[in-house]
Amino acid sequence: ERELSPLLVYHSLWHTREDVVLAAERLAEMEVVTGEDRLLLLTAANYHDLGFIEQRVGHEDVSIRLTREVLPRFDFRSRQIEIVVGLIQATKLPQTPHTLLEQIMADADLDALGRDDYFVRNQLLRQELINFGLPSTEDEWDEIQLSFLKAHHAFTQAAINLRGPAEKRHIEILIDRIRRHGGRPIGNNT
C-alpha cells in the first residue's frame, strides 16, 4: 500500500483487492474450486501484481521472485509455491494458462473487460499509461481497446457466461464511438 507509485492509478491496491481477488473468488465458486486449490488461487490473486512495487514492465517476474521469497515464511511448501508461480505467470499477456486454476487466474485478472465499470476502469488504465509517458488520443485508445477486446477470449465457462455478454456490448460501443469520430474500426468488415 505504501510502496506503490501514485502514478499506478489502475494497477493499484484496489485492482488487486477489489478487482482480481474478488473475481478469483467468484470464478472459483462458479467452477467449484475449494480447499487447497482455492487457497493457492487466492494467494496468487493477492501476489500477482506485487512486482509493481519495483517495476512496471516485467512486474510479473518480480512478483514471482517476491512470492518465492515470502511464501516459505507462511509455511507454503515448494510444490504449493510453484503452483502459485504458475498462476502468476498465467496473467502475463498474451495469456497462456494450462490448468483450470491458471485459467481462473487469467480470467480474474481481466475480469474488468466484461464488467459494467469497464469504461471507468479502462480510462484509469489509459491515464496510468499516460503517467508513464505512453500518451494516446481518445480515438487511438478506442482503436487499441477494440482490438484488445476482439482478440480476448475467456478461458473458463464461468467467465464466458458471466462476462461474455458485456464484453460484446463494449465492443459494439467502441465500434460506434470510432464510427462517430469518422474512423473505421480495426478488423471490422462492415
Side-chain angles (χ1 to χ4, degrees):
E1 190 169 13
R2 292 179 305 272
E3 297 175 67
L4 284 174
S5 167
L7 300 176
L8 294 165
V9 294
Y10 178 87
H11 289 101
S12 63
L13 191 57
W14 191 95
H15 167 70
T16 296
R17 286 184 180 164
E18 306 301 322
D19 198 355
V20 179
V21 170
L22 293 181
E25 288 177 332
R26 183 173 35 261
L27 294 172
E29 185 173 320
M30 293 172 75
E31 293 287 341
V32 194
V33 172
T34 59
E36 181 183 25
D37 285 343
R38 188 181 184 102
L39 169 70
L40 297 176
L41 174 67
L42 296 179
T43 300
N46 277 288
Y47 279 72
H48 84 287
D49 277 348
L50 188 60
F52 272 104
I53 65 172
E54 291 184 16
Q55 67 191 44
R56 191 176 62 79
V57 177
H59 69 275
E60 296 96 346
D61 295 329
V62 177
S63 298
I64 288 167
R65 177 179 51 80
L66 293 170
T67 295
R68 286 185 169 134
E69 291 173 7
V70 172
L71 290 187
R73 297 181 211 159
F74 295 97
D75 295 325
F76 280 75
R77 296 182 304 279
S78 294
R79 180 191 65 77
Q80 293 171 316
I81 293 168
E82 290 313 305
I83 291 170
V84 172
V85 163
L87 295 171
I88 293 169
Q89 287 172 329
T91 66
K92 281 186 181 183
L93 298 175
Q95 296 175 321
T96 55
H98 302 289
T99 67
L100 175 61
L101 288 182
E102 290 174 4
Q103 291 173 351
I104 292 170
M105 187 66 212
D107 286 345
D109 193 33
L110 296 181
D111 185 65
L113 298 178
R115 289 199 326 250
D116 291 341
D117 66 345
Y118 165 74
F119 288 101
V120 171
R121 300 296 300 153
N122 192 262
Q123 282 305 308
L124 288 174
L125 179 58
R126 179 174 181 235
Q127 183 59 55
E128 180 175 299
L129 294 174
I130 290 169
N131 292 346
F132 287 96
L134 300 168
S136 63
T137 68
E138 194 72 37
D139 291 340
E140 290 169 335
W141 184 250
D142 283 349
E143 288 281 358
I144 291 165
Q145 293 312 297
L146 176 60
S147 181
F148 189 83
L149 274 173
K150 283 184 167 185
H152 175 257
H153 67 278
F155 296 96
T156 63
Q157 194 60 52
I160 291 166
N161 294 343
L162 186 64
R163 301 301 185 205
E167 271 192 53
K168 288 180 178 143
R169 282 194 310 275
H170 299 150
I171 287 170
E172 292 304 317
I173 291 168
L174 286 167
I175 288 170
D176 185 57
R177 281 182 7 185
I178 291 165
R179 284 189 179 137
R180 280 188 283 124
H181 290 120
R184 182 180 172 112
I186 296 171
N188 189 4
N189 298 328
T190 59

